[in-house]
Amino acid sequence: MQRPLMFQKLTNALEGLRAITQFDRVFFTLCQRMLGRRLGWTIYAKGRLKFLVDHLAGDQNGTRDCIAGPMYRELFKEMQMPQQLRLLDLGANGGGFPLLCLDLGFALSELTCVEVNPFTHSRLSLNIRHNVGLRAKVLNVAVGGHSRQLTLSFPPGGTDFSIYGAKDGAANEEAIIEVLTFDEVMSRGFSDGVVDLCKMDVEGAEYEVFLGDTADSLRRVHYLIIEIHAAEPTKQDALLRKLMSQGFERIKTSSTCDDVHLFVNRQWVD
């Protein structure tokens, strides 16, 4: 048991080093990580981008690696989008996906980010405000199939928080969170406008979001990148059928994560 654990730690360290080399000021970043490991907070820079990652909370998996890794980046080759993007990010974590869009040369004419964890949302707000500006909407809410309020216990961060499996922990704090439907998020973020790209990673809530009758505005989305989490085959099939009924066709699955899929809306009209 000891050798596999050590091997995993070594693998994680090497992967972290590889990710750091994708950014500017590598030596400075390495010094931050080596000398400030107990602090957790690290500033990364890439071109004009500068953003905060809390390693102790696990932000690196959802913010840094979103930019440095190929999981989302490779999907952009399959899309034909304007340089001025209208972007909706559901499950935004620390803002890695909008920052990836900026790194790829897109401008964000309209941006709405949704993040349920208040701790993570605070770092998301900082990163988006610094790199995008005040025009972006950064919502500390959850997305679901019907409107409601939930009292949830939140960890300091991480990428796998679910509104269904929130567990108490020594470092967790409770907060009351508003749950909005997809249609309500679209209304708050874009009024009755259209969205060029929606990225969705909501840890299993995608089923209640799309299998109900509160996501009609999905028709106003051109491209959808969605992580479809494990569920019963009948439930997954129902989700795929619902997307197809809205005009969506799956055109690619990420080569590094077979749960992440790119759909295009064949009925979309700008």
Side-chain angles (χ1 to χ4, degrees):
M1 294 295 291
Q2 188 70 18
R3 291 183 63 184
L5 178 60
M6 293 179 62
F7 179 77
Q8 185 61 49
K9 288 184 176 180
L10 177 61
T11 299
N12 292 341
L14 291 174
E15 289 178 350
L17 178 61
R18 180 201 60 79
I20 287 175
T21 62
Q22 305 300 307
F23 295 92
D24 302 339
R25 304 175 185 175
V26 173
F27 180 73
F28 172 73
T29 307
L30 284 173
C31 287
Q32 289 184 89
R33 293 296 300 126
M34 293 174 64
L35 301 178
R37 296 190 69 84
R38 293 186 179 181
L39 297 176
W41 289 19
T42 301
I43 301 296
Y44 287 84
K46 195 172 193 293
R48 293 186 298 175
L49 302 178
K50 297 179 182 64
F51 58 94
L52 173 69
V53 166
D54 185 346
H55 283 262
L56 294 182
D59 285 358
Q60 67 275 16
N61 298 320
T63 306
R64 181 196 68 186
D65 294 352
C66 182
I67 301 170
M71 181 172 69
Y72 292 125
R73 185 178 290 266
E74 66 177 4
L75 300 179
F76 280 83
K77 300 175 183 178
E78 310 297 326
M79 296 183 277
Q80 296 180 347
M81 297 185 295
Q83 287 302 112
Q84 296 282 338
L85 275 187
R86 295 157 294 191
L87 176 65
L88 172 60
D89 190 358
L90 301 174
N93 198 264
F97 192 82
L99 299 185
L100 170 62
C101 293
L102 294 175
D103 186 50
L104 290 169
F106 293 97
L108 300 175
S109 62
E110 295 182 63
L111 171 64
T112 296
C113 297
V114 170
E115 172 54 43
V116 61
N117 188 325
F119 295 112
T120 308
H121 177 267
S122 66
R123 297 185 290 276
L124 167 68
S125 297
L126 173 67
N127 291 336
I128 294 301
R129 296 295 176 227
H130 180 82
N131 291 282
V132 179
L134 297 178
R135 67 185 182 277
K137 298 179 176 68
V138 187
L139 308 180
N140 183 201
V141 300
V143 61
H146 61 280
S147 302
R148 60 197 189 272
Q149 288 188 334
L150 294 175
T151 300
L152 300 172
S153 180
F154 292 97
T159 59
D160 58 354
F161 181 85
S162 168
I163 61 173
Y164 307 118
K167 299 178 180 178
D168 293 332
N172 291 10
E173 291 188 45
E174 280 194 353
I176 299 174
I177 292 295
E178 183 180 13
V179 181
L180 301 180
T181 68
F182 186 87
D183 288 341
E184 289 172 330
V185 171
M186 284 285 287
S187 178
R188 287 196 188 186
F190 304 93
S191 187
D192 59 353
V194 297
V195 168
D196 298 300
L197 175 60
C198 172
K199 186 274 279 180
M200 185 176 192
D201 181 5
V202 291
E203 300 301 325
E206 62 271 16
Y207 294 101
E208 73 163 90
V209 169
F210 289 141
L211 291 182
D213 58 359
T214 57
D216 289 341
S217 55
L218 183 61
R219 300 179 188 275
R220 308 203 317 262
V221 173
H222 190 186
Y223 289 98
L224 172 67
I225 296 177
I226 179 172
E227 183 165 350
I228 300 178
H229 294 81
E232 300 85 355
T234 55
K235 199 172 183 180
Q236 288 191 335
D237 289 343
L239 176 58
L240 294 175
R241 288 196 303 271
K242 185 62 178 284
L243 293 176
M244 291 175 59
S245 73
Q246 297 270 34
F248 283 87
E249 175 188 345
R250 180 164 47 187
I251 57 176
K252 188 174 177 62
T253 297
S254 172
S255 64
T256 59
C257 181
D258 57 12
D259 293 332
V260 174
H261 309 276
L262 170 62
F263 290 81
V264 60
N265 185 354
R266 298 298 187 189
Q267 301 174 6
W268 186 80
V269 177
D270 192 346

